[in-house]
Amino acid sequence: MKVECSKFDIDCITSISEVLQFLSGKWTFLVITELLKEPQRFNHLRRSLGNINTKGLTDTLRNLEVHQMIKREVFSTVPVTVEYSITEKGKAFTDVFNEIRRWKNEWEAPVNSNKSVKLN
């Protein structure tokens, strides 16, 4: 039996796939959540995230900037100051965060730390 996708399903899957491609980085969600709190300079952001390396943070910030989720602002100081902030597009993503949390709270069973999953 062959199941055909409706136009909605194809559009939905394509949209989700495209978004996940640029949000799939290891640090992406954490960078977004830090910048939702307040604009931050690179080193402050790096310290806030803990064990992220410079290259990882740089790559994540560039990716988010290219996709207009964050804004990079350069100030003419000595030395040059660069500050990153969330854009309106990035702020709109908080609705997605809230839906993910709502879904998790509704559907995820509490984790019993005494039980572990054994994979063969």
Side-chain angles (χ1 to χ4, degrees), residues 79-118:
V80 173
T81 302
V82 179
E83 185 175 80
Y84 297 90
S85 59
I86 202 84
T87 61
E88 288 302 313
K89 181 179 178 180
K91 287 177 187 174
F93 206 73
T94 57
D95 293 340
V96 176
F97 283 147
N98 289 330
E99 278 302 305
I100 291 170
R101 183 182 62 219
R102 184 199 60 74
W103 179 87
K104 179 206 171 284
N105 290 340
E106 182 176 340
W107 293 102
E108 183 182 66
V111 177
N112 183 342
S113 61
N114 295 329
K115 294 181 181 179
S116 62
V117 176
K118 186 176 182 180

Side-chain angles (χ1 to χ4, degrees), residues 16-92:
I16 291 168
S17 178
E18 289 171 1
V19 170
L20 288 177
Q21 283 181 359
F22 79 83
L23 291 177
S24 64
K26 178 178 179 180
W27 298 99
T28 302
F29 285 100
L30 295 174
V31 168
I32 291 171
T33 56
E34 283 299 314
L35 293 177
L36 281 167
K37 296 175 188 174
E38 63 183 349
Q40 296 185 39
R41 293 195 280 189
F42 185 90
N43 283 327
H44 184 264
L45 187 56
R46 189 169 50 85
R47 284 189 297 273
S48 297
L49 293 170
N51 64 349
I52 188 170
N53 64 39
T54 301
K55 183 184 181 324
L57 181 54
T58 299
D59 291 347
T60 301
L61 291 169
R62 283 183 183 153
N63 181 48
L64 289 171
E65 186 181 9
V66 165
H67 289 91
Q68 301 172 341
M69 297 289 284
I70 66 169
K71 180 176 80 170
R72 179 180 186 265
E73 191 170 0
V74 179
F75 298 95
S76 298
T77 58
V78 178
V80 173
T81 302
V82 179
E83 185 175 80
Y84 297 90
S85 59
I86 202 84
T87 61
E88 288 302 313
K89 181 179 178 180
K91 287 177 187 174

